[in-house]
Amino acid sequence: MLSYPAAIPLSNRTLARLAELICSHRAEHRSRWRRLNPGQQALLVLAHLRNGDAYTRLAAGFSIGTTTAWRYVRESVDLLAALADDVHAAATRAFRLAHTILDGTLIPIDRVADQKPYYSGKHKRHGMNVQVLADPAGRLVWASPALPGAVHDLSAAWIVGLIDALTANGVLTFADKGYQGAGGTVRTPFKRHWHRPRLSRGQKD
């Protein structure tokens, strides 16, 4: 088998933080001996999450079974997910910002047996819809749980409770035309149509 060097565009701080979480989790559950130490497990997980390395490739590179690689990733993702704010805590934090930016993104996935709910007509592929809230500089404030790719961005924002949470906290939020009709504190661009053939200067601004 051939091997080659690879890099993960992340800092050592990220690796150390995840390794610390894994170590604490093992100590809390008095975990028995593992094939990989917390640092190696963290490196494997980051290679999967950041570079998209497949379980079979990771298993070969770390000399473990494919099932073990999957279990390591699943365990670590659960630990990271437990750190995330819920939508109400995120909206409360966002209140301190001048404004926020709301957008949706599609995380590509392989085709599944019941593929229709996961097919995005907009992107012409299968995936999961994730709603992302960012600060004025574009830095991540909160990401929603994943929904099937066929769900429209506006519907997804309602389903995860994001629009209600932002409005309840008075957070001014800018979004693209896909969120028109959201109401509350969400502001979207004006667009021309048959009964609004021309936009005023204020609408253009």
Side-chain angles (χ1 to χ4, degrees):
M1 181 180 296
L2 300 176
S3 63
Y4 63 93
I8 305 174
L10 292 170
S11 67
N12 286 335
R13 181 182 176 186
T14 304
L15 178 67
R17 176 62 174 138
L18 180 54
E20 180 183 294
L21 288 174
I22 295 169
C23 187
S24 298
H25 177 73
R26 292 184 181 185
E28 180 182 347
H29 291 81
R30 298 180 179 179
S31 179
R32 60 182 177 81
W33 177 84
R34 302 278 193 97
R35 290 293 301 274
L36 301 183
N37 62 42
Q40 291 172 318
Q41 179 177 342
L43 183 60
L44 179 151
V45 172
L46 293 176
H48 175 72
L49 295 178
R50 192 66 178 85
N51 289 355
D53 289 347
Y55 295 123
T56 50
R57 179 182 295 179
L58 292 170
F62 284 86
S63 301
I64 58 176
T66 303
T67 302
T68 301
W70 177 88
R71 189 169 64 250
Y72 279 160
V73 170
R74 185 69 266 165
E75 177 185 63
S76 301
V77 167
D78 288 343
L79 293 175
L80 292 171
L83 299 178
D85 286 339
D86 64 18
V87 65
H88 301 290
T92 301
R93 219 161 23 91
F95 175 73
R96 298 192 294 267
L97 302 172
H99 66 268
T100 58
I101 303 165
L102 170 61
D103 202 0
T105 187
L106 188 79
I107 308 298
I109 63 170
D110 293 332
R111 295 179 64 175
V112 294
D114 185 17
Q115 58 182 292
K116 187 175 180 181
Y118 299 92
Y119 185 77
S120 169
K122 175 182 176 182
H123 297 276
K124 308 300 182 189
R125 69 163 303 155
H126 296 81
M128 302 296 291
N129 183 316
V130 175
Q131 296 297 296
V132 177
L133 192 68
D135 69 9
R139 292 172 298 223
L140 180 67
V141 174
W142 185 76
S144 75
L147 296 171
V151 179
H152 188 274
D153 281 340
L154 177 57
S155 298
W158 278 115
I159 291 170
V160 300
L162 185 54
I163 294 173
D164 284 339
L166 292 171
T167 300
N169 285 275
V171 182
L172 177 61
T173 304
F174 293 104
D176 62 28
K177 294 178 182 177
Y179 293 88
Q180 287 192 332
T185 54
V186 178
R187 299 290 178 264
T188 57
F190 290 93
K191 63 180 178 181
R192 292 187 297 176
H193 41 68
W194 66 272
H195 63 79
R196 188 196 286 153
R198 304 187 65 175
L199 300 182
S200 68
R201 176 174 295 180
Q203 290 171 335
K204 290 178 180 179
D205 290 342

